[in-house]
Amino acid sequence: MTNSIHETENSDLIFVIGSNPRENHPVIGAKIKKALRNGSKLILADPREIDLSEDADVYMQVNVGANIALINGMIHVIISENLVNSDYIKNHTEGYEELKEMVKKYTPEMASEICGVAPEKIVEAARLYATSKASSIYYAMGITQFKTGTNAVIALSNLALITGQIGRPGTGINPLRGQNNVQGSCDMGAFPDTLPGYKSIKDEKFRKLYREEWGVELPSKVGLTITQIMDAAHHKDLKFLFIMGENPIVSDPDTTHIIQSLESLDFLVVQDIFMTETAEYADLILPALSFAEKDGTFTNTERKVQRVRAAIKGPGEAKADWLIFMELMNEFGYDVHYDSPSDIMDEMARLVPQYAGISYDRIEKGGLQWPVKDKNHPGTPILHVDGPMRGKGLIVPVEYDLPAEIVDEKYPYVLTNGRNLYHYHTRSMTAKTEGLHEKSPESYIEINPLTCEEIGVKNGDMVTVTSRRGAIQTRVVKTNKILKGTVFMSFHFAEGQTLTQFPQNTQLELFITVSPATFILLLSLSKDNTSLHCSVLHTSTHLPHEMHLFGSIS
């Protein structure tokens, strides 16, 4: 987030797109509701009606995968009606003229044809965002988990830059992290191509810094992404895999492919707090401590580094993550010793510029938001206060692109997915909580009443959803929340992930008995897995009711 969570209540206008904060990020969702009670206005763009829909001043039920067209339509209105912040554009941006030329064709009418939102709503949303004193943007995976996800984020950046809605309280671009320490893991270099602090693994200046600190030569070769790791394992090019705190059999697309990949390994290690579906395939399980049983820090979605303290003693032989890693390094012949997580934070402060001024003493009574430049720096609640940190904000024109696949007469339905309020990620923890499990005990598919009528199903029916990647049975929830022709499933349940496939694994078609579809599910630009948008075919030739899926995320 460029801004802080508490500022949510101070925004004059909140633009939520591709996110369901009341269910997926309830703390921030509650602050949005409070802001609305205090007079803030809300623009909401989502293909599915959510809790915030009835509170929105402008609700745009955008077609799945059409976010860029909608945003470009808003930018067109802002520019054509001269609602831009000319001073901010002149002093703090570059690339504006190219954007201005590109969006000329994105009239509200043209954008409406693509995104399904009425032209007058696009105009109203654009005016509201541009003219409010402090407008903020909140987005999540409904923006990013597409072939064009990166471009959609760029489009939102363009929107904020041309209106100067950045670098001030109550403004900014605020991605909502799906888990509590995702931000921290990214900060520490949990990517195949970066060192901690987001420095390229090929940057010799920082390679030298780490080489001198650690006393070893760092690899310069870019590593594999998650999808590439699984494909390498499947083809036996990868022999060993260490999985920590992840449950890819449930969380990753195409369960069949993931299982085959894990079974193809020579050795699999899983480090976790519970016996997950993935841990069942491990050759060695390392029992770890939960958040309540260990000391350390979490870096949350607003970049705040916060202390975590053990409240209870861990069970059995379970150990803290840092201790497991330290002992493994020693076993591998690298002699290193830390007395506590505080020692590790001190090392981070030496190596990661954003963390340079952070120590356990400084965050004992409250967190600090990076960048914290030195031991006297107070932290940075708002980024880009004196203009973009890179010098000038780069405005990059991005065009709307068609989804990776489109519906046709044979495959007329679109599947989208997300979280629900009661479960966390793959349910490895929440499914063990009786009250939460009772609220959401099984997989389900939300279908519009008109679509139900087309297929001949009613509320509560069991339907079979089949693709070339697999087939599942799930229960129908008849609802007006979703548009006709679109269906929704939660991805908490393993059942939902058997419907997606990686493109390299066409031999997996043998596992599918019905659908003749041949489309694939992979981000063509970033080579990341996606599982958000599929086209669906319904047929009445198999019992129980069946919906055939093909294709993948747009």
Side-chain angles (χ1 to χ4, degrees):
M1 293 174 64
T2 62
N3 290 56
S4 301
I5 292 173
H6 73 85
E7 294 175 38
T8 307
E9 300 174 30
N10 302 322
S11 294
D12 298 298
L13 182 282
I14 298 169
F15 180 18
V16 177
I17 180 168
S19 176
N20 184 2
R22 288 279 286 168
E23 292 198 44
N24 302 163
H25 308 90
V27 172
I28 293 175
K31 290 188 178 295
I32 290 174
K33 293 284 276 192
K34 184 176 180 179
L36 300 181
R37 288 196 298 269
N38 292 337
S40 299
K41 298 197 177 294
L42 173 67
I43 300 169
L44 176 66
D46 199 282
R48 177 171 168 260
E49 287 187 15
I50 60 175
D51 177 89
L52 290 174
S53 300
E54 59 187 30
D55 298 316
D57 295 271
V58 183
Y59 171 49
M60 300 180 286
Q61 197 162 15
V62 60
N63 290 335
V64 176
N67 295 313
I68 292 175
L70 172 63
I71 299 164
N72 281 346
M74 292 175 63
I75 292 173
H76 171 98
V77 172
I78 291 167
I79 293 175
S80 63
E81 296 189 3
N82 197 29
L83 301 177
V84 298
N85 187 327
S86 298
D87 289 341
Y88 191 90
I89 291 171
K90 179 182 178 181
N91 296 324
H92 297 297
T93 72
E94 56 182 293
Y96 172 68
E97 292 301 325
E98 292 84 352
L99 176 69
K100 182 178 179 180
E101 182 64 29
M102 188 272 290
V103 298
K104 283 182 179 178
K105 60 178 174 288
Y106 284 92
T107 64
E109 292 74 22
M110 184 266 208
S112 176
E113 286 292 320
I114 299 171
C115 70
V117 176
E120 56 269 23
K121 284 195 173 185
I122 296 175
V123 172
E124 184 181 3
R127 291 171 178 169
L128 198 56
Y129 178 83
T131 60
S132 295
K133 183 178 179 180
S135 295
S136 56
I137 296 171
Y138 293 84
Y139 73 88
M141 292 194 297
I143 280 284
T144 57
Q145 296 294 304
F146 291 91
K147 179 186 76 174
T148 54
T150 300
N151 283 353
V153 175
I154 292 172
L156 289 175
S157 174
N158 294 339
L159 180 64
L161 286 170
I162 67 169
T163 54
Q165 298 284 11
I166 195 165
R168 296 180 285 112
T171 66
I173 305 172
N174 302 294
L176 304 181
R177 297 296 200 176
Q179 299 183 60
N180 68 323
N181 204 23
V182 168
Q183 184 66 56
S185 64
C186 293
D187 296 346
M188 292 302 109
F191 295 105
D193 58 347
T194 68
L195 297 166
Y198 303 96
K199 301 301 181 182
S200 170
I201 198 169
K202 297 182 179 295
D203 188 320
E204 184 52 38
K205 174 185 174 182
F206 282 90
R207 287 173 56 80
K208 182 175 183 293
L209 177 67
Y210 281 88
R211 185 165 57 242
E212 291 175 351
E213 174 75 28
W214 292 340
V216 295
E217 186 63 45
L218 273 64
S220 59
K221 183 180 178 182
V222 173
L224 303 179
T225 64
I226 292 176
T227 54
Q228 292 168 337
I229 286 171
M230 289 302 174
D231 288 326
H234 192 271
H235 293 106
K236 296 187 178 295
D237 295 324
L238 184 70
K239 307 297 184 183
F240 174 92
L241 186 59
F242 191 115
I243 297 176
M244 170 189 171
E246 279 289 318
N247 188 14
I249 285 181
V250 178
S251 63
D252 287 13
D254 192 358
T255 298
T256 301
H257 171 59
I258 299 300
I259 291 174
Q260 290 183 337
S261 298
L262 298 181
E263 289 180 329
S264 298
L265 293 164
D266 287 350
F267 204 83
L268 171 63
V269 178
V270 171
Q271 179 176 323
D272 217 314
I273 62 175
F274 288 119
M275 175 62 78
T276 64
E277 290 86 348
T278 301
E280 292 177 1
Y281 288 84
D283 298 286
L284 174 66
I285 298 173
L286 299 176
L289 297 178
S290 73
F291 74 96
E293 299 161 343
K294 61 187 176 185
D295 292 319
T297 62
F298 289 150
T299 304
N300 73 357
T301 194
E302 64 175 354
R303 298 169 285 107
K304 181 178 285 185
V305 184
Q306 303 174 98
R307 282 281 279 115
V308 179
R309 300 168 181 83
I312 57 176
K313 189 178 185 303
E317 298 179 351
K319 295 181 179 181
D321 302 313
W322 69 270
L323 187 58
I324 292 173
F325 284 137
M326 186 183 77
E327 292 179 356
L328 281 173
M329 284 190 285
N330 291 331
E331 288 291 334
F332 292 154
Y334 181 75
D335 187 21
V336 62
H337 179 78
Y338 303 103
D339 289 323
S340 71
S342 179
D343 293 347
I344 301 170
M345 178 59 74
D346 292 341
E347 180 178 305
M348 289 159 53
R350 294 193 296 271
L351 295 173
V352 181
Q354 295 93 327
Y355 283 64
I358 300 177
S359 66
Y360 271 40
D361 288 341
R362 291 199 68 194
I363 59 175
E364 184 63 29
K365 294 184 178 179
L368 288 170
Q369 289 170 270
W370 66 253
V372 185
K373 298 178 181 179
D374 55 52
K375 296 299 182 183
N376 298 313
H377 192 271
T380 310
I382 304 175
L383 297 176
H384 315 299
V385 171
D386 298 316
M389 296 173 70
R390 71 181 294 272
K392 286 199 170 185
L394 185 60
I395 295 173
V396 181
V398 289
E399 296 271 12
Y400 165 75
D401 193 10
L402 284 172
E405 64 178 35
I406 56 176
V407 297
D408 56 25
E409 290 184 2
K410 190 174 184 182
Y411 298 95
Y413 305 117
V414 174
L415 169 69
T416 186
N417 66 24
R419 298 182 174 96
N420 69 32
L421 176 62
Y422 304 105
H423 287 301
Y424 179 74
H425 209 44
T426 68
R427 300 167 61 247
S428 59
M429 291 183 286
T430 53
K432 295 174 174 62
T433 305
E434 184 177 348
L436 296 176
H437 183 68
E438 286 179 359
K439 288 286 188 180
S440 181
E442 63 179 354
S443 173
Y444 57 92
I445 184 167
E446 293 182 357
I447 308 178
N448 182 277
L450 295 176
T451 307
C452 285
E453 187 176 336
E454 283 182 351
I455 350 176
V457 299
K458 61 183 183 298
N459 192 58
D461 279 354
M462 291 297 293
V463 295
T464 297
V465 188
T466 307
S467 77
R468 260 190 144 175
R469 302 118 192 129
I472 65 158
Q473 286 196 349
T474 190
R475 194 172 300 281
V476 171
V477 174
K478 186 177 177 180
T479 176
N480 284 308
K481 291 181 180 179
I482 200 80
L483 289 169
K484 178 180 181 291
T486 301
V487 295
F488 170 87
M489 290 184 68
S490 163
F491 61 66
H492 300 300
F493 301 89
E495 294 90 329
Q497 299 305 332
T498 61
L499 302 173
T500 55
Q501 176 186 358
F502 300 147
Q504 297 93 330
N505 298 287
T506 53
Q507 68 268 29
L508 295 182
E509 293 166 12
L510 297 173
F511 292 92
I512 310 305
T513 59
V514 238
S515 175
T518 57
F519 285 78
I520 60 175
L521 238 88
L522 195 69
L523 286 175
S524 62
L525 297 181
S526 68
K527 296 183 180 179
D528 257 4
N529 58 293
T530 54
S531 54
L532 203 64
H533 172 206
C534 303
S535 296
V536 181
L537 165 70
H538 165 69
T539 177
S540 58
T541 58
H542 293 79
L543 295 177
H545 303 286
E546 294 196 356
M547 301 182 76
H548 290 186
L549 277 72
F550 81 105
S552 100
I553 298 170
S554 48

